[in-house]
Amino acid sequence: MRPLTDEETKTVFEKLDKYIGDNVRLLVDRPDGSYCFRTHRDRVYYVSEAIMKKATNFGRENLLSLGTRLGKLSKKGKFRLHITALTYLAPYAKFKVWIKPNAEQSFLYGNHVAKAGLSRMTENTPKYQGVIVYNMNDVALGFGATAFSTEECRALDPTRIVVFHQADLGEYLRDEDTLT
């Protein structure tokens, strides 16, 4: 377990900025204590500093994970968010998308969201913006990226894809063998 390098920190914060904007600082400076980002085996974790200090008693080879896994750093230096980051991204999301009940199951199976399954979208959402996907009961289901802006979506054909799937809660079942 080690702190992120400057380049890794920049990459992680740029990805988080796509979903929660300036609220990234709220993840680090929380009222319930200080939190930090650490990496272990190319995975980025979000952990309380108190727990992180206690974990220094364990060797790296004995430590499986610590805190909440936010994502993974690729060999090429890119950062891919993991579904476990949803609970921390959803409350601070700048842009949100709500989908209809008939599109909910399809999204949870890993498919993109078509215009026909879109219920509503945050106003002034730009094209290719990171969004949190909710059902009609305001339960966060996953996240993705918009294929069109809010204005462009109004005139689209119902079969066109409006949100590209990136991660959803169904991954817990589909990838349960490899979630470590």
Side-chain angles (χ1 to χ4, degrees):
M1 187 72 53
R2 65 171 175 79
L4 290 121
T5 64
D6 291 339
E7 189 63 33
E8 290 170 342
T9 303
K10 181 182 175 210
T11 305
V12 170
F13 278 25
E14 283 175 355
K15 182 64 108 173
L16 291 175
D17 186 55
K18 288 182 181 179
Y19 292 93
I20 61 177
D22 295 334
N23 294 331
V24 173
R25 61 179 157 64
L26 297 175
L27 286 178
V28 180
D29 299 326
R30 290 177 40 171
D32 59 339
S34 293
Y35 284 74
C36 59
F37 297 96
R38 292 290 185 258
T39 184
H40 184 62
R41 298 182 183 153
D42 291 332
R43 286 155 178 76
V44 177
Y45 295 93
Y46 178 64
V47 62
S48 166
E49 287 190 3
I51 294 173
M52 191 234 356
K53 288 177 184 174
K54 291 177 184 177
T56 58
N57 296 329
F58 299 98
R60 285 186 181 189
E61 63 280 350
N62 296 332
L63 192 61
L64 183 61
S65 71
L66 180 67
T68 302
R69 179 177 161 190
L70 283 186
K72 183 177 180 182
L73 290 163
S74 69
K75 301 277 186 206
K76 294 183 179 182
K78 296 191 180 205
F79 180 68
R80 178 168 161 70
L81 276 172
H82 196 261
I83 189 60
T84 52
L86 183 64
T87 55
Y88 295 102
L89 296 180
Y92 304 117
K94 286 177 21 181
F95 301 103
K96 302 174 183 180
V97 169
W98 288 266
I99 58 175
K100 295 177 182 174
N102 59 354
E104 194 174 322
Q105 184 176 9
S106 177
F107 181 75
L108 290 174
Y109 283 160
N111 298 318
H112 303 305
V113 178
K115 168 76 162 65
L118 184 69
S119 175
R120 59 188 167 129
M121 178 185 271
T122 306
E123 286 297 318
N124 301 323
T125 303
K127 191 174 187 177
Y128 304 125
Q129 174 65 44
V131 292
I132 305 296
V133 178
Y134 289 88
N135 66 5
M136 293 306 294
N137 297 325
D138 283 333
V139 175
L141 300 176
F143 45 86
T146 56
F148 299 97
S149 68
T150 306
E151 292 77 27
E152 293 170 330
C153 283
R154 292 187 177 115
L156 278 181
D157 181 48
T159 59
R160 296 291 301 265
I161 293 172
V162 291
V163 178
F164 296 120
H165 175 273
Q166 289 184 344
D168 65 83
L169 292 176
E171 286 184 24
Y172 282 118
L173 298 175
R174 291 193 307 270
D175 300 334
E176 66 182 322
D177 295 337
T178 60
L179 276 180
T180 58

